[in-house]
Amino acid sequence: MNKTIETILNHRSVREFEQRSLTKEQIDILVSSAQAASTSSYVQAYSIIGVTDDEKKAELAKLAINSNTVINSGHFFVFCGDLHRHEIIGEMEEKEVTTAIESTEMFMVALIDAALAAQNTAIAAESMGLGICYIGGIRNDLEKVSQLLETPSHCIPLFGLAIGYPSVINDRKPRLPKEHIYHENRYESDKTIYKKQLEEYNATTTEYYHERTNGERQDSWTEQIGKALENPKRMYMQDFVKAQGLNKK
Amino acid sequence: MNKTIETILNHRSVREFEQRSLTKEQIDILVSSAQAASTSSYVQAYSIIGVTDDEKKAELAKLAINSNTVINSGHFFVFCGDLHRHEIIGEMEEKEVTTAIESTEMFMVALIDAALAAQNTAIAAESMGLGICYIGGIRNDLEKVSQLLETPSHCIPLFGLAIGYPSVINDRKPRLPKEHIYHENRYESDKTIYKKQLEEYNATTTEYYHERTNGERQDSWTEQIGKALENPKRMYMQDFVKAQGLNKK
């Protein structure tokens, strides 16, 4: 197993950082790494906003309900799905591009492009001995995040990526059984097998929580996820995304 | 610069492979790498389908209009955004989860989860000396891909990932200027600066194509993208995605 794969397999989210900023050089490598990722048909449909302003960082931390991770990070990136650039290309090239950039297809492309770039940044950071934590919590209020970061039409912030020097390192959380995530030639259609895999995984996660909390917590994965999904989150999203001119047709 | 960052920065899409299959061990490491990626609130909202059946591979190659890359790949993965698992969790835990899994928010989560996992697979593969190419072309006809791979409700194939032993290695395509992708504290609002960056980049891409084609091709990036977006692609996507029970509310 090579170093890169070791880095990848050794991932865990780091939520507590030393108060130490990344250098310009480090940030530069992280952004170059993001840019090196594949991009659908060369569209490069994402942007990255680094937040160094203390007030803005504090606001983002508050609305993400993840204060310390954001505030103490050595650098806080926000990854955006971005088709604003393509709106401008329409102007420059005198082409009618609105239908394309407002389509669900291009919305998907922007999300995928942004996530591929972000994961390159995450792996690059971890290879440098830094810790990372994705902050989906910024989606609690994208209206506010957009105002704060002054994102234009056809561009939406998707998630934060907090990077820094780890002060506490957690255990790795167990993942679903491989055969449940990975299928060959066709999706597993036998519900009995499918549910059995989930039950086996429940045993693993229950044991994990039990050990980690000295027996205080012993919920299973399906229990945890079932409870979370019972209370749908961020139901403003569809309207918000459409109001930005994305995912409309 | 460490080996991992070297691997990341050295990425280029490989479209021509030797006819040599990956081993089970290699596939196993690639799937473990995918699973090690971050996942939003631990939902693990993706699945991977490895396509080894020659007929299915040929069908996918045909509809992706990218025949040789798919057919000659050493292994062809299809990454799916998957909330079917969560539908089953609803049954198992007797929770009403439909609103959540049909929301735009969870659709976004599924896409982001799948892309983070895929990029881990891509980097792991490249670190092993393999080449990779994302195949967005499977989205030309997701109805057919779904039938072929028997994906269930609330699960959609997003893109392929062809991996194999490179037989031809292309140059790296130049990326947008860093200052155009990466902003600090707020998105660049000065349109003059913004367009100037695009024009500078056009000079770079025009030169790149000129050199690579002995002067035959000399289009700029904005010209290329403007032309592509003038003809919107895959406009069936919104209806298709909704019919699978995703991105509905």
Side-chain angles (χ1 to χ4, degrees), chain A residues 78-188:
Chain A
V78 174
F79 282 78
C80 307
D82 190 0
L83 295 163
H84 177 68
R85 180 172 298 128
H86 307 80
E87 183 189 340
I88 302 292
I89 290 174
E91 281 176 27
M92 286 168 73
E93 299 291 335
E94 295 176 1
K95 300 284 187 196
E96 179 42 51
V97 300
T98 312
T99 303
I101 66 181
E102 296 193 339
S103 67
T104 294
E105 159 70 10
M106 284 304 290
F107 177 63
M108 291 166 67
V109 161
L111 263 64
I112 293 166
D113 265 20
L116 299 182
Q119 189 58 10
N120 262 12
T121 299
I123 298 294
E126 290 179 330
S127 80
M128 291 155 77
L130 301 167
I132 70 114
C133 189
Y134 280 95
I135 306 290
I138 67 162
R139 289 198 307 279
N140 287 336
D141 190 349
L142 282 190
E143 187 74 52
K144 205 161 180 179
V145 177
S146 292
Q147 282 165 14
L148 211 60
L149 305 180
E150 300 176 38
T151 51
S153 55
H154 304 107
C155 173
I156 57 162
L158 294 173
F159 47 80
L161 183 61
I163 300 185
Y165 291 88
S167 64
V168 178
I169 295 185
N170 296 319
D171 294 335
R172 294 187 57 220
K173 268 192 197 169
R175 296 300 197 242
L176 280 162
K178 191 166 294 165
E179 61 277 17
H180 190 75
I181 281 281
Y182 180 69
H183 311 246
E184 267 194 7
N185 295 313
R186 58 178 191 77
Y187 197 97
E188 179 60 65

Side-chain angles (χ1 to χ4, degrees), chain B residues 52-99:
Chain B
T52 54
D53 179 278
D54 284 340
E55 269 178 47
K56 288 194 182 187
K57 223 171 159 182
E59 283 252 38
L60 291 173
K62 203 170 121 194
L63 68 87
I65 319 175
N66 212 322
S67 300
N68 288 335
T69 310
V70 176
I71 287 177
N72 295 335
S73 63
H75 203 71
F76 189 65
F77 293 98
V78 174
F79 282 79
C80 307
D82 190 1
L83 295 163
H84 177 68
R85 181 172 297 129
H86 307 80
E87 184 189 339
I88 302 292
I89 290 174
E91 280 177 28
M92 286 168 72
E93 299 291 335
E94 295 176 0
K95 300 283 188 195
E96 179 43 51
V97 299
T98 312
T99 304

Side-chain angles (χ1 to χ4, degrees), chain A residues 5-242:
Chain A
I5 292 172
E6 255 176 48
T7 299
I8 288 173
L9 297 182
N10 198 33
H11 164 73
R12 70 258 351 245
S13 293
V14 171
R15 292 186 175 80
E16 291 174 58
F17 297 111
E18 293 172 17
Q19 280 188 293
R20 183 174 159 200
S21 295
L22 301 198
T23 62
K24 277 206 172 166
E25 236 178 20
Q26 286 172 315
I27 295 165
D28 201 57
I29 291 177
L30 295 174
V31 175
S32 296
S33 296
Q35 289 199 264
S38 293
T39 160
S40 177
S41 303
Y42 208 18
V43 292
Q44 305 178 73
Y46 67 96
S47 285
I48 310 170
I49 304 177
V51 185
T52 54
D53 179 279
D54 284 339
E55 268 178 48
K56 288 194 182 188
K57 223 171 159 182
E59 283 251 38
L60 290 173
K62 203 169 119 193
L63 69 86
I65 319 174
N66 213 322
S67 300
N68 288 334
T69 310
V70 176
I71 287 176
N72 295 334
S73 64
H75 203 72
F76 189 66
F77 292 98
V78 174
F79 282 78
C80 307
D82 190 0
L83 295 163
H84 177 68
R85 180 172 298 128
H86 307 80
E87 183 189 340
I88 302 292
I89 290 174
E91 281 176 27
M92 286 168 73
E93 299 291 335
E94 295 176 1
K95 300 284 187 196
E96 179 42 51
V97 300
T98 312
T99 303
I101 66 181
E102 296 193 339
S103 67
T104 294
E105 159 70 10
M106 284 304 290
F107 177 63
M108 291 166 67
V109 161
L111 263 64
I112 293 166
D113 265 20
L116 299 182
Q119 189 58 10
N120 262 12
T121 299
I123 298 294
E126 290 179 330
S127 80
M128 291 155 77
L130 301 167
I132 70 114
C133 189
Y134 280 95
I135 306 290
I138 67 162
R139 289 198 307 279
N140 287 336
D141 190 349
L142 282 190
E143 187 74 52
K144 205 161 180 179
V145 177
S146 292
Q147 282 165 14
L148 211 60
L149 305 180
E150 300 176 38
T151 51
S153 55
H154 304 107
C155 173
I156 57 162
L158 294 173
F159 47 80
L161 183 61
I163 300 185
Y165 291 88
S167 64
V168 178
I169 295 185
N170 296 319
D171 294 335
R172 294 187 57 220
K173 268 192 197 169
R175 296 300 197 242
L176 280 162
K178 191 166 294 165
E179 61 277 17
H180 190 75
I181 281 281
Y182 180 69
H183 311 246
E184 267 194 7
N185 295 313
R186 58 178 191 77
Y187 197 97
E188 179 60 65
S189 59
D190 185 325
K191 257 198 180 176
T192 314
I193 294 175
Y194 198 84
K195 284 189 180 173
K196 200 169 156 264
Q197 292 165 345
L198 289 174
E199 274 151 18
E200 279 166 21
Y201 183 52
N202 276 343
T204 312
T205 48
T206 301
E207 198 190 316
Y208 169 82
Y209 285 124
H210 189 272
E211 273 183 23
R212 233 177 144 219
T213 61
N214 290 321
E216 266 181 48
R217 189 172 165 184
Q218 37 197 328
D219 49 336
S220 72
W221 185 70
T222 60
E223 198 183 332
Q224 180 185 335
I225 300 295
K227 265 189 207 157
L229 294 179
E230 200 181 18
N231 300 300
K233 278 197 297 190
R234 304 168 188 156
M235 293 304 294
Y236 75 95
M237 195 58 78
Q238 185 166 64
D239 290 342
F240 173 79
V241 164
K242 282 191 180 162

